Amino acid sequence: MYRTHTCGELNLSKIGAQVTLAGWVQTIRKFGAITFVDLRDRYGITQLLFNEELTLQLEKNSIGREFVLQATGIVKERSNKNLKIATGEIEISITNYSILNKSITPPFTIQDDTDGGDELRMKYRYLDLRRNEIKKNLELRYAVNRAARNYLHQQGFMDIETPFLIKSTPEGARDFVVPSRMNPGEFYALPQSPQSFKQLLMVSGYDRYYQIVKCFRDEDLRADRQPEFTQIDCEMAFVEQEDILQTFEGLVKNIFKEVNQIDYKEKVERISWDDAMWNYGNDKPDTRFELKVQNLKVKGENLCTTLEEIKFDVFNSAETVLAICIPNASEYSRKQTDELIEWVKRPQIGMRGLAFIKKGKDGILKSSFDKFINETQLNSFANYCNAQQDDLILILAGAEEKTRKAISDLRMEMAERLGLRNKNEFKLLWVFDFPLFEYNEEGNSWVARHHPFTAPKPSDIEIMINNDPKISNASKYLDHPYAKIKANAYDMVLNGNEIGGGSIRIHQRELQEKMFAALGMDIEEQLHKFGFLLGAFEYGAPPHGGIAFGFDRLCAILGGSESIRDFIAFPKNNAGRDVMLDAPATIDEKQLHELQIKLGSKKV
Amino acid sequence: MYRTHTCGELNLSKIGAQVTLAGWVQTIRKFGAITFVDLRDRYGITQLLFNEELTLQLEKNSIGREFVLQATGIVKERSNKNLKIATGEIEISITNYSILNKSITPPFTIQDDTDGGDELRMKYRYLDLRRNEIKKNLELRYAVNRAARNYLHQQGFMDIETPFLIKSTPEGARDFVVPSRMNPGEFYALPQSPQSFKQLLMVSGYDRYYQIVKCFRDEDLRADRQPEFTQIDCEMAFVEQEDILQTFEGLVKNIFKEVNQIDYKEKVERISWDDAMWNYGNDKPDTRFELKVQNLKVKGENLCTTLEEIKFDVFNSAETVLAICIPNASEYSRKQTDELIEWVKRPQIGMRGLAFIKKGKDGILKSSFDKFINETQLNSFANYCNAQQDDLILILAGAEEKTRKAISDLRMEMAERLGLRNKNEFKLLWVFDFPLFEYNEEGNSWVARHHPFTAPKPSDIEIMINNDPKISNASKYLDHPYAKIKANAYDMVLNGNEIGGGSIRIHQRELQEKMFAALGMDIEEQLHKFGFLLGAFEYGAPPHGGIAFGFDRLCAILGGSESIRDFIAFPKNNAGRDVMLDAPATIDEKQLHELQIKLGSKKV
């Protein structure tokens, strides 16, 4: 061993001891004839004191930042103490040292506030990983991993590894595929999740399964998506929805406790998908704060009857009118409201404008559409919105889907401005009773909202079995019985982020076949893609269900960040490239030949 | 929850309790008007008693093996106890039940001695996984996983996930590659191991890393190899070989303790590669037993001087003559020795014959080559072999490499016959000081025996730096200084199986470049393939080293099996196929088009 101690553990109790440390040069400070070097390793920083003689040697060797040193000396009490760090009361009076390795000047500084840009830090990821901030993130990630495993183990779950080289059965997202050399013309696929395998394990009787496992999706990458990502993947047999909710509330609470030292005692709130959309315009609402949506007019129906009385084309011609009341904001200046109007007009939001009403501290109302509304009407309008004194009521009008999304975005934006999104506060929420199907206009067909293995609510099974999934009248798809079927599914939401999602699964062959048929698969395709699963359901498949947590995102949120990339040791950039490795890359002609594949022409 | 208890936990302490169980029908036995059903789940088997009325119902529903039942009843003491199982003193007197799912007749019986053949069990793997034997294996695998993680955590190791979509840098084994849709014509590769990443993590200062991780090798599959396999992958910084040996002896001992309840107190033996080859003919000797190889003549040199005196062409013309003494075997019959002769002549061994000497219980010697040897010579021959009374000395002669391998195989075979390979006895061994390079006749070049990142022994670094790796005289490659360089590498051997291997790594750019050059890579190729690693070595790379354990094999050996397949939930067959999924398989034209690749013509 090149050291007797780490750079994070020495303190006053070791005064006089001879120790050897090894680590990286963080800083070098010369004071007259002597030199102080801060030596860094994974555990901390310790100050080394080089005397006159050794200082001369140091200079001869011209050591610099990031050199790797091994240094032996005596632990001494420091005159100039730094009580912010654990080792700040001591220093090592060096008696001899050696340079274990040199370093050229790093392309950016290895410290909390680095001067390195994103691309540069990705290219030299091995240097970026030295920074304390990234190290803390990876330590947190490991702590989450431990906490999850410990809890699941205590609950009787077994970690069972499932294969990575599987069969391509693309539903929704694209598979990454792997050409098989031994079976020319054939391909493996990398799993988008171990879904089928965990269900098979339930059929096999392993009634509590988990895995912290890499999954792969070949999607066009949006910001903060990775082609490979990690899930905490779980499945249970002989359970109903309630059992799963309780088990996995327990998981997340245990992570809070072990990782963040937070005792999350409250009951986890639950909300139906319908209610979430109604009250927050969003199926993963951030419930750290209220700011609920006021539904004034929905899909052409005036709920606030005042709207029938006033002649304001913006509201009258809109399918939907929604509002939120912002507290302590009635004194917003013209500049401030103008800025909000610009904000909702941005292409990402895409609204035409924003109306508002101010309810002053004195209770007096003023609106941006005073021309179109009288005082009584304004009063009843504000009352419908449940406005309080000093509220600013923000109102959006437009097509249902767009307006609901916009009010949700506006709600988050206002919460951000009001400082209501405290990253050290954690609020969990279960959302359930999602629609089982979504309508796909392009093909006039149903698609599974979650995935094709999700069971309908028990009360909706009959509807599913007894109706033909075919949509005869595309324009009236909402009238089809399938549009009303709710899924026996649930998402766990943390601070406005979906951190996990799951469902009770179909475990009957007939129902699974009906589901596949509803999604447009004929029986031949069903057997080709999922014959093994349909077969397994014939040999005594138990009722079962499960959940998968997005591990990267969960870690990021627990670490108080919105970006998953800094919680992954070696992430890819937004184009799916590893810029450090320079991958993907071309491969040898020989490899292509062995795989018996040829390249198509490149797109120009 | 569909149950109040599992099928493995009820006993006399619960007499009179009302319970609900859920599980699979293992057996149905009718006794007159009543019926006994053994209900099975992951935790055990519980006997259910159906009274007359319920028996009639059961018959109407015609339940059978592997049906999934939920049954409620009262715990009763059994008159006919089965003390072999935990629940054997009670039974459940059923008051009502429901069939949760039906089962058609399984293609093989779900019991310890199944009637299912290999292929059938692979196809219906989800049924095979129900068998107790496979379940025990997966439970053991999980226990090994836990024990490894617990130990490594205590030792300060951090689990850090490394990427799966990396760059193809084939050395030795072939990479599986993954075409990139977003970068047409380019490919990712699946990692053969996280080697580069764990070294980069050391450069980044994470001085104790581990991962239990899937790795991929596109090799022509031999029996009991899998294209995807799992490693316990570890790396440490600021360590020397001794630190690694001690740390990972500790790991394996902790696994023995937690998984097999074995307190492995002995010091782990160590042997150099030279000594292993000399004494056992093998670099992963099974040291549960002695049966050491006697080196009579090696590479043309007579070590047993008696050989110079006798005129026996088999020995005289051979490059190498080796022997082993088999205890308590001097009374082997002609039939038995003939059988051994046939055994060494099999193509897998490929020897021309086998000579032997019997040293009787009375000390009298007899040989199969008495014509060529006198009594004094025979005596000194047997003495050289250190033969004891009642020994059978088996002697092989031929070319060095082949003969050494054959004597090693014969040693194992004899140990098997003598019952010396007790699968419940565990014997660890470190083998170290391997040659750094192997000679590749085809290209008249060096190849890395371990991998190109392995450091030479400190004392051999000078030899490596100061000599040109070029081999000018192919026939005398053994005289090249590189042939003598030893690697700073070590293998851990358990019962004759290599379960782990690792090395101290190169951490200096110059030495790494020299290594790559020795393997025939010019600087351009080095930079293309490993530029990131060479770069990283310039920014303060610490001395480091590590090890990787073959997790599948380790589990198999700890489970007393030679086959890894039964310790993997969803293994592939020897052709690399998943016969359950029927993967690999063809993919859609659309997928190929998106990836911009075309299929070559199939081989006929």
Side-chain angles (χ1 to χ4, degrees), chain A residues 449-544:
Chain A
R449 193 190 161 85
H450 192 59
H451 59 48
F453 313 103
T454 300
K457 302 282 287 185
S459 52
D460 290 352
I461 291 181
E462 293 282 295
I463 302 175
M464 188 158 155
I465 292 282
N466 296 331
N467 285 284
D468 186 338
K470 202 156 160 276
I471 307 160
S472 46
N473 186 343
S475 68
K476 294 200 170 172
Y477 75 91
L478 277 172
D479 295 340
H480 191 287
Y482 270 44
K484 284 164 198 70
I485 298 177
K486 296 291 188 194
N488 208 344
Y490 30 80
D491 278 358
M492 184 175 256
V493 174
L494 175 59
N495 293 1
N497 297 280
E498 181 202 322
I499 57 167
S503 61
I504 298 295
R505 323 299 184 185
I506 296 170
H507 68 285
Q508 310 91 332
R509 178 165 183 152
E510 305 70 34
L511 192 58
Q512 187 66 67
E513 284 177 347
K514 188 87 188 182
M515 169 58 92
F516 286 146
L519 305 180
M521 262 190 248
D522 62 25
I523 190 74
E524 197 175 66
E525 189 181 352
Q526 293 182 27
L527 289 175
H528 174 68
K529 287 185 172 169
F530 297 107
F532 61 95
L533 189 67
L534 292 171
F537 284 174
E538 297 211 275
Y539 293 99
H544 63 283

Side-chain angles (χ1 to χ4, degrees), chain A residues 7-26:
Chain A
C7 296
E9 64 180 303
L10 294 170
N11 55 36
L12 291 177
S13 73
K14 295 285 183 187
I15 296 293
Q18 175 173 303
V19 300
T20 301
L21 301 182
W24 287 264
V25 173
Q26 178 77 19

Side-chain angles (χ1 to χ4, degrees), chain A residues 361-458:
Chain A
K361 289 178 179 168
D362 48 10
I364 292 171
L365 296 163
K366 270 184 224 162
S367 83
S368 63
F369 47 103
D370 276 350
K371 280 187 268 187
F372 306 99
I373 197 162
N374 66 35
E375 207 182 307
T376 323
Q377 288 165 342
L378 196 56
N379 230 317
S380 86
F381 193 111
N383 280 344
Y384 185 90
C385 291
N386 202 19
Q388 308 298 307
Q389 285 179 4
D390 203 14
D391 272 6
L392 171 69
I393 312 174
L394 300 175
I395 308 151
L396 291 173
E400 164 69 20
E401 207 170 324
K402 187 179 208 172
T403 310
R404 204 162 281 280
K405 183 176 179 310
I407 200 86
S408 167
D409 289 344
L410 183 60
R411 177 178 176 269
M412 294 298 271
E413 174 66 17
M414 294 313 295
E416 189 69 47
R417 293 183 186 206
L418 294 169
L420 298 173
R421 303 182 66 192
N422 173 2
K423 66 179 191 169
N424 295 314
E425 183 192 347
F426 296 106
K427 192 77 174 244
L428 290 170
L429 177 73
W430 284 114
V431 181
F432 57 93
D433 284 2
F434 292 84
L436 185 61
F437 295 102
E438 274 176 350
Y439 178 66
N440 172 17
E441 215 166 326
E442 214 175 304
N444 183 36
S445 65
W446 301 111
V447 291
R449 193 190 161 85
H450 192 59
H451 59 48
F453 313 103
T454 300
K457 302 282 287 185

Side-chain angles (χ1 to χ4, degrees), chain A residues 1 3, chain B residues 152 155 157 198-199 201-202 206-210 233-248 490 503-505 542-547:
Chain A
M1 202 70 86
R3 62 190 176 200
Chain B
L152 292 168
Q155 298 293 317
F157 285 79
K198 65 178 178 173
Q199 291 193 244
L201 286 171
M202 295 306 109
Y206 297 79
D207 58 8
R208 296 186 164 209
Y209 143 94
Y210 86 97
D233 192 52
C234 307
E235 196 81 0
M236 303 171 81
F238 300 118
V239 290
E240 290 157 312
Q241 179 172 295
E242 184 61 30
D243 307 308
I244 295 197
L245 300 192
Q246 285 187 17
T247 303
F248 294 101
Y490 29 81
S503 60
I504 297 295
R505 324 298 185 185
H544 63 284
I547 195 166

Side-chain angles (χ1 to χ4, degrees), chain A residues 78-95:
Chain A
R78 240 157 107 166
S79 51
N80 185 9
K81 288 181 180 157
N82 174 359
L83 296 178
K84 282 190 220 149
I85 61 171
T87 58
E89 296 188 87
I90 57 98
E91 65 192 6
I92 315 297
S93 179
I94 299 305
T95 50

Side-chain angles (χ1 to χ4, degrees), chain B residues 166-182:
Chain B
I166 65 167
K167 187 172 177 170
S168 185
T169 54
E171 304 299 309
R174 273 186 216 89
D175 285 328
F176 281 106
V177 296
V178 181
S180 165
R181 182 179 55 85
M182 309 242 285

